[in-house]
Amino acid sequence: MTTTSPATLDEIIELIKEVKPGIADQSVTAEQSVVEDLGLDSLDLLQLSRRINRQFGVDFDLDSWNAEADDHQRSVASIAAAVTTDNHA
């Protein structure tokens, strides 16, 4: 399991809440699925990936991340891990 810095995870959660304002008051954890648990659809995910790219200066590859969904169940932590990996590449 890949660990990420809390700041990155917190920033990802904030971006998710910006994309999906209806969950702004909910507690979001690293283990939650952004699709199944938080209700993001394909357009929300596209918007989230663009915000991640802009905020972190990385190329978050949404297609690759989706292709690995069987491994990570589209968890919040998997997004933060992908961003952290990209930042250190």
Side-chain angles (χ1 to χ4, degrees), residues 9 13 16 19 26 37-39 49-50 54 64 69-70 82 87:
L9 187 60
I13 290 170
I16 291 169
V19 168
Q26 291 182 24
D37 298 324
L38 303 178
S49 70
R50 289 180 177 161
R54 206 172 25 235
S64 291
D70 287 345
N87 275 334

Side-chain angles (χ1 to χ4, degrees), residues 52-64:
I52 288 169
N53 292 343
R54 206 172 25 235
Q55 178 156 338
F56 297 104
V58 298
D59 183 20
F60 176 64
D61 189 340
L62 186 58
D63 291 332
S64 291

Side-chain angles (χ1 to χ4, degrees), residues 19-58:
V19 168
K20 196 77 171 174
I23 64 167
D25 294 334
Q26 291 182 24
S27 176
V28 176
T29 65
E31 295 78 26
Q32 286 181 295
S33 166
V34 294
V35 175
E36 285 81 14
D37 298 324
L38 303 178
L40 275 72
D41 62 22
S42 58
L43 293 177
D44 294 329
L45 289 174
L46 184 59
Q47 185 178 6
L48 178 62
S49 70
R50 289 180 177 161
R51 288 177 186 237
I52 288 169
N53 292 343
R54 206 172 25 235
Q55 178 156 338
F56 297 104
V58 298

